[in-house]
Amino acid sequence: MKILATYNIKGGVGKTATAVNIGYLAASDGYRVLLWDLDPQGAASFLFRIKPRVKGGGKALIRGRRTLDDAIKGTDFDRLDLLPADFTYRNLDLVLDAAKQPAKRLASLLAPLHCEYDVVVLDCPPSISLLSESVLHAADLLLVPLIPTTLSVRTLDQLTQFVGGFDGHQPDILAFFSMLDRRKKLHAEIVRDLPEQRPDVATAAIPALSVIEQMSVQRAPVTAFAPRTAAARQYRELWREARERARLPAAPR
Ligand SMILES: Nc1ncnc2c1ncn2[C@@H]1O[C@H](COP(=O)(O)OP(=O)(O)OP(=O)(O)O)[C@@H](O)[C@H]1O
Ligand SMILES: [Mg+2]
């Protein structure tokens, strides 16, 4: 089982859009996938038409009073399950703080699922918190969406440094450009140069396109309802790079 997480301290950069498409693409390749919507806003749950509700809230899950298995729902797509968001997730930091080894908590909650799933995708809220630390410790690979600016590259360096300071397990990082607008000179330059200079930046770049915004109207991944678009092509390319980087064994299908 490989754990992928979409992560950025910044909000509104395409984390959820990526988690949803990567989850869908992994499942359509034949992997058994679980997507955990960790954001109390519940955008990923909404996109998969699942009520953002966990009985007993986040506290019951983190404290182990309710197993993750118990809260998991099926989506409309084969092999793709969802662990929904819950509005109580806004307090997860407090719950984690009271737990033993909070930074390792998510990893240990997910460990029993390793026979049931090949891929877990964690969709994180935008923050640097105890929850995000726990996500960083659990993940094998971080998918980090970057808006193409110099500042976003600095954010990536800060994240790399932070993760480099972890004892024991450190997630690998694959950053990629998101909401790319090639008409902007700076965007075009950064996207042309950076993937060549840095192995932690993917070749795939997700353009800013209204078909991606349409996901919240269609309530489905763009890779599912518009697979022939440039958006879907770039998500597939990103998934290919992520799968390789995470050294995922060939799908059983
Ligand atoms: N490449 C894109 N082109 C156009 N719109 C996009 C793109 N990616 C995401 N969006 C839209 O931008 C908004 C924010 O995207 P998304 O929810 O994926 O970001 P996020 O990083 O998960 O945000 P948050 O930090 O609030 O969780 C959404 O309305 C989404 O439909
Ligand atoms: Mg989000």
Side-chain angles (χ1 to χ4, degrees):
M1 183 177 88
K2 295 287 183 186
I3 303 179
L4 275 48
T6 52
Y7 178 76
N8 193 313
I9 185 168
K10 286 196 203 324
V13 293
K15 297 182 294 297
T16 299
T18 304
V20 161
N21 281 290
I22 292 292
Y24 169 79
L25 289 170
S28 47
D29 267 2
Y31 296 102
R32 297 162 304 166
V33 182
L34 174 67
L35 195 156
W36 190 352
D37 181 359
L38 283 162
D39 189 338
Q41 297 175 99
S45 308
F46 174 85
L47 289 174
F48 283 119
R49 302 165 184 267
I50 289 173
K51 235 189 253 155
R53 180 102 182 82
V54 171
K55 257 198 212 140
K59 198 187 215 173
L61 294 181
I62 298 291
R63 292 205 175 155
R65 272 194 271 118
R66 192 176 162 79
T67 62
L68 299 194
D69 241 349
D70 221 25
I72 290 170
K73 309 270 191 237
T75 67
D76 295 342
F77 302 102
D78 289 343
R79 293 177 297 278
L80 178 56
D81 289 346
L82 184 96
L83 185 48
D86 189 275
F87 195 53
T88 60
Y89 285 3
R90 71 190 186 282
N91 299 322
L92 277 190
D93 261 25
L94 295 174
V95 184
L96 279 171
D97 199 31
K100 263 188 263 164
Q101 294 199 302
K104 308 234 164 92
R105 190 70 195 125
L106 235 52
S108 62
L109 284 174
L110 287 165
L113 297 178
H114 79 272
C115 295
E116 282 165 70
Y117 294 102
D118 306 305
V119 178
V120 172
V121 182
L122 304 173
D123 184 26
C124 298
S127 64
I128 179 103
S129 59
L130 208 44
L131 171 64
S132 35
E133 218 176 303
S134 199
V135 165
L136 302 184
H137 276 281
D140 295 294
L141 180 66
L142 301 178
L143 294 170
V144 182
L146 303 176
I147 311 289
T149 65
T150 319
L151 266 184
S152 68
V153 177
R154 229 183 118 239
T155 311
L156 173 61
D157 288 334
Q158 285 167 344
L159 176 65
T160 308
Q161 238 175 35
F162 181 58
V163 163
F166 287 0
D167 293 337
H169 173 78
Q170 297 180 356
D172 200 356
I173 296 180
L174 184 64
F176 62 96
F177 291 110
S178 176
M179 301 194 184
L180 162 67
D181 181 353
R182 285 191 193 271
R183 289 169 308 179
K184 294 184 178 162
K185 192 162 167 261
L186 186 65
H187 278 210
E189 278 172 13
I190 291 183
V191 169
R192 188 192 56 214
D193 298 340
L194 223 64
E196 276 178 22
Q197 293 162 3
R198 298 185 56 144
D200 56 346
V201 178
T203 317
I206 314 297
L209 288 169
S210 56
V211 71
I212 297 179
E213 285 175 64
Q214 278 292 318
M215 290 204 303
S216 52
V217 179
Q218 302 277 342
R219 295 185 74 179
V222 64
T223 40
F225 72 79
R228 293 184 206 293
T229 53
R233 245 190 337 270
Q234 288 303 313
Y235 278 122
R236 281 195 296 271
E237 171 59 18
L238 180 63
W239 161 236
R240 194 191 58 72
E241 290 183 61
R243 195 181 51 197
E244 243 171 52
R245 188 62 81 90
R247 289 190 211 91
L248 207 71
R253 198 171 59 156

